[in-house]
Amino acid sequence: MQRYFLEKELAENQLQEIVITGEQHHHMNRVMRMKEATQVYLVFPSGRSIIAEIITINQEQVSLKWIADEVAEKELPIQVTIASGLPKQDKLEFVVQKITELGAAAFIPFQGHFSITKWDHKKATKKIERLQKIALEAAEQSHRRKVPTIYPLATSIEEIAQQAADYDYCLVAYEESAKENEQAVFAKVLQQVKPGEKILVVFGPEGGLAPKEIEQLETAGFLLCGLGPRILRTETAPLYVLSAISYVTELKQ
Amino acid sequence: MQRYFLEKELAENQLQEIVITGEQHHHMNRVMRMKEATQVYLVFPSGRSIIAEIITINQEQVSLKWIADEVAEKELPIQVTIASGLPKQDKLEFVVQKITELGAAAFIPFQGHFSITKWDHKKATKKIERLQKIALEAAEQSHRRKVPTIYPLATSIEEIAQQAADYDYCLVAYEESAKENEQAVFAKVLQQVKPGEKILVVFGPEGGLAPKEIEQLETAGFLLCGLGPRILRTETAPLYVLSAISYVTELKQ
């Protein structure tokens, strides 16, 4: 069943005739060729998700009515923000798609000291819009109730370090920690974290984080952690973190 | 430090002059432009890994000597085999690269009932060779001691079902289980599994597994499991499984 994220909240008495135009109407009408009585999920900005049925559909608009609320919980109980140093090629699009599937709450790209890719102001705006679109599509496909927030480019690690106070836990996945066989920090945090709390996890670009960047993060209270004995690529490590968090918090232990 | 997988085991007394020619020599000499005294990891088929130093390097060959054994454990304590229904495009290459980084022991591609992609005999041979190369490169890059085995294409789910007896645990990641909020089976298996044991996990292609395929697997003793409340793409689900297994077995709890 298709899922659509709506931009406006609706009052209870508006749920008997929900009118949709624009891109989502186009998708239902032309791409999916939906007919009367087809059911879809509609998700509101609050995270409320309903099953709605098409009453009428024509070239201009589609009207739907509320059938039932979706009850199953879809969101990670912990709010995880992933910060990635700009990697090469289109890896960032991959990362955003996958972390959305795996339940991330937000994503912050940053210009790392060793990032080979550079974004100028104009490019950054376009790139962020593209990442927002990818997050929206992945959220629809993976049946989430929230689209992850894609933040503007942080131009240095300092901007990330300054945000430490906004989170309950701040971690850095650090290759040198993995090499030194550090294996306690991440698991310890996952044992302490409570539903509703916020975690920020920072990942360097391909070349890793510079010693000075690590120092800035440590000074701001970030904990360095290893993610097992193998060296994970920059685009793989965030998936490891989110998978482990889902396993610990969403599957019955 | 670069890592190379050698095809032959060497006796202890041969470790003072290890001669390498062919592609690996080419890589050291022409691609990496290595010089005398450069150190590399050499990994033997047994999984023994040593640090070796270049004594001489020229246009024909490179000679190295043993410096030390690598002591850190790099391999997952549990042997995980991933079986994937042929997905679209080049997603299989992605899956093989990522599951290698995440520690998989082996990979079996299979022709699923809903696989849109088909491999004929000739194509299958080439594809498997390509996947073996990707696994080798990812094993080098992620600093593993074993290159995952890439098995030939299984032409139906039946061939997978028949292998059940080779494994201690056989699981199927099933979208319908996820939708029904099944969340106990995978965690239960991870709590029971012991070091050295073998797990096989089956993933359908984009269209999922057909009811008949599920039936065949269940008859063969496979357990159906969900992987959390979000719908993961066919190429994401194996990464979730391996990340969770690494978290449970390799990080300190």
Side-chain angles (χ1 to χ4, degrees):
Chain A
M1 203 152 92
Q2 284 296 130
R3 176 174 290 252
Y4 298 94
F5 285 86
L6 303 186
E7 287 182 4
K8 278 190 193 159
E9 212 60 40
L10 290 181
E12 207 61 41
N13 63 6
Q14 296 175 296
L15 295 181
Q16 284 317 304
E17 194 179 352
I18 306 161
V19 176
I20 294 176
T21 57
E23 264 187 50
Q24 292 174 330
H25 161 258
H26 176 81
H27 189 267
M28 293 184 202
N29 189 40
R30 306 300 293 263
V31 181
M32 301 301 294
R33 296 174 180 277
M34 289 180 184
K35 304 287 176 209
E36 279 76 13
T38 301
Q39 295 193 346
V40 299
Y41 289 109
L42 298 180
V43 190
F44 298 99
S46 62
R48 181 182 182 182
S49 169
I50 66 166
I51 295 166
E53 189 174 291
I54 295 180
I55 317 166
T56 58
I57 183 162
N58 58 38
Q59 298 304 313
E60 279 76 47
Q61 62 175 50
V62 51
S63 301
L64 305 101
K65 66 175 178 189
W66 175 93
I67 297 292
D69 271 54
E70 186 191 28
V71 284
E73 186 47 70
K74 302 283 183 174
E75 293 297 313
L76 267 186
I78 295 161
Q79 291 189 53
V80 185
T81 297
I82 301 293
S84 286
L86 290 187
K88 291 187 221 167
Q89 300 152 352
D90 57 358
K91 279 186 187 172
L92 220 51
E93 299 189 0
F94 165 83
V95 169
V96 167
Q97 184 190 71
K98 294 299 168 230
I99 68 167
T100 301
E101 284 178 63
L102 292 166
F107 180 73
I108 313 171
F110 70 90
Q111 191 79 52
H113 182 75
F114 291 139
S115 289
I116 290 166
T117 306
K118 311 271 176 210
W119 287 2
D120 58 26
H121 184 69
K122 197 177 156 193
K123 194 172 176 182
T125 309
K126 275 198 175 171
K127 287 275 187 187
I128 295 294
E129 281 172 12
R130 169 100 181 118
L131 294 179
Q132 284 166 335
K133 189 158 179 272
I134 287 168
L136 173 65
E137 286 169 359
E140 285 171 354
Q141 178 272 326
S142 58
H143 284 231
R144 289 190 55 175
R145 295 223 189 145
K146 293 269 187 188
V147 183
T149 305
I150 310 292
Y151 286 105
L153 179 73
T155 54
S156 71
I157 202 73
E158 215 171 337
E159 282 187 40
I160 305 285
Q162 284 164 355
Q163 298 177 29
D166 299 341
Y167 297 89
D168 299 291
Y169 297 92
C170 295
L171 294 170
V172 189
Y174 190 38
E175 195 173 294
E176 295 305 318
S177 299
K179 285 184 187 159
E180 285 161 16
N181 208 19
E182 190 297 303
Q183 48 186 226
V185 172
F186 181 50
K188 203 172 166 192
V189 167
L190 285 207
Q191 273 158 8
Q192 291 174 349
V193 68
K194 290 176 214 63
E197 286 189 323
K198 296 169 82 177
I199 301 186
L200 170 61
V201 195
V202 176
F203 301 86
E206 284 88 355
L209 291 162
K212 209 191 147 196
E213 291 179 309
I214 289 290
E215 202 185 301
Q216 285 177 297
L217 291 170
E218 279 197 293
T219 304
F222 283 67
L223 302 173
L224 309 186
C225 66
L227 300 173
R230 290 167 299 283
I231 305 300
L232 301 178
R233 285 173 199 253
T234 177
E235 75 273 21
T236 314
L239 319 190
Y240 182 103
V241 163
L242 284 161
S243 300
I245 292 176
S246 165
Y247 177 79
V248 169
T249 62
E250 296 186 313
L251 296 192
K252 274 205 194 97
Q253 303 290 315
Chain B
M1 203 151 89
Q2 285 294 129
R3 178 174 289 252
Y4 298 95
F5 284 86
L6 304 185
E7 287 182 4
K8 277 188 192 160
E9 212 61 39
L10 290 179
E12 209 59 45
N13 63 9
Q14 296 175 295
L15 295 182
Q16 284 317 307
E17 194 179 352
I18 306 161
V19 176
I20 293 176
T21 58
E23 265 186 50
Q24 291 175 330
H25 162 257
H26 175 82
H27 190 266
M28 292 184 203
N29 189 41
R30 306 301 292 263
V31 182
M32 300 302 294
R33 297 173 182 275
M34 289 180 183
K35 305 285 175 210
E36 278 76 13
T38 301
Q39 295 192 345
V40 299
Y41 288 110
L42 298 180
V43 189
F44 298 99
S46 62
R48 181 182 181 181
S49 169
I50 65 166
I51 295 166
E53 190 175 289
I54 295 179
I55 317 166
T56 58
I57 184 162
N58 58 38
Q59 298 304 313
E60 278 76 47
Q61 63 176 49
V62 51
S63 301
L64 307 101
K65 66 175 179 190
W66 174 92
I67 297 292
D69 272 55
E70 184 190 30
V71 284
E73 186 47 69
K74 303 283 184 172
E75 293 299 314
L76 267 186
I78 294 161
Q79 290 189 53
V80 185
T81 297
I82 301 293
S84 285
L86 289 187
K88 290 188 221 167
Q89 300 153 350
D90 57 357
K91 279 187 187 172
L92 220 51
E93 299 189 1
F94 164 82
V95 170
V96 167
Q97 184 191 69
K98 295 297 168 229
I99 67 167
T100 301
E101 284 177 64
L102 293 166
F107 180 73
I108 313 171
F110 70 90
Q111 191 80 52
H113 182 75
F114 290 139
S115 289
I116 289 165
T117 306
K118 311 274 177 208
W119 288 1
D120 58 26
H121 183 70
K122 197 178 156 192
K123 193 172 176 183
T125 308
K126 276 198 174 169
K127 286 275 188 187
I128 295 295
E129 281 172 12
R130 169 100 182 118
L131 294 180
Q132 284 166 337
K133 189 159 180 274
I134 287 167
L136 173 64
E137 286 169 0
E140 285 171 355
Q141 178 272 326
S142 58
H143 285 230
R144 288 191 56 177
R145 294 221 189 149
K146 294 269 186 185
V147 183
T149 306
I150 310 291
Y151 287 105
L153 179 73
T155 54
S156 71
I157 202 74
E158 214 172 337
E159 283 186 40
I160 305 284
Q162 283 163 358
Q163 298 176 29
D166 299 341
Y167 298 88
D168 299 292
Y169 297 92
C170 294
L171 295 170
V172 188
Y174 190 38
E175 194 173 292
E176 295 306 318
S177 300
K179 285 183 188 161
E180 285 160 17
N181 208 18
E182 190 297 303
Q183 49 186 221
V185 172
F186 181 51
K188 203 171 165 193
V189 166
L190 285 206
Q191 274 158 5
Q192 290 174 349
V193 68
K194 290 176 213 64
E197 287 190 321
K198 296 169 80 177
I199 302 186
L200 170 61
V201 195
V202 176
F203 301 86
E206 284 88 354
L209 291 162
K212 210 194 146 192
E213 292 179 309
I214 289 291
E215 202 186 301
Q216 285 177 299
L217 291 170
E218 280 198 291
T219 305
F222 283 67
L223 303 173
L224 309 187
C225 66
L227 300 173
R230 290 167 299 284
I231 304 300
L232 301 177
R233 284 175 200 252
T234 178
E235 75 274 18
T236 314
L239 318 190
Y240 182 103
V241 163
L242 284 160
S243 300
I245 292 176
S246 164
Y247 177 78
V248 170
T249 62
E250 295 185 314
L251 297 191
K252 274 206 194 96
Q253 302 291 313

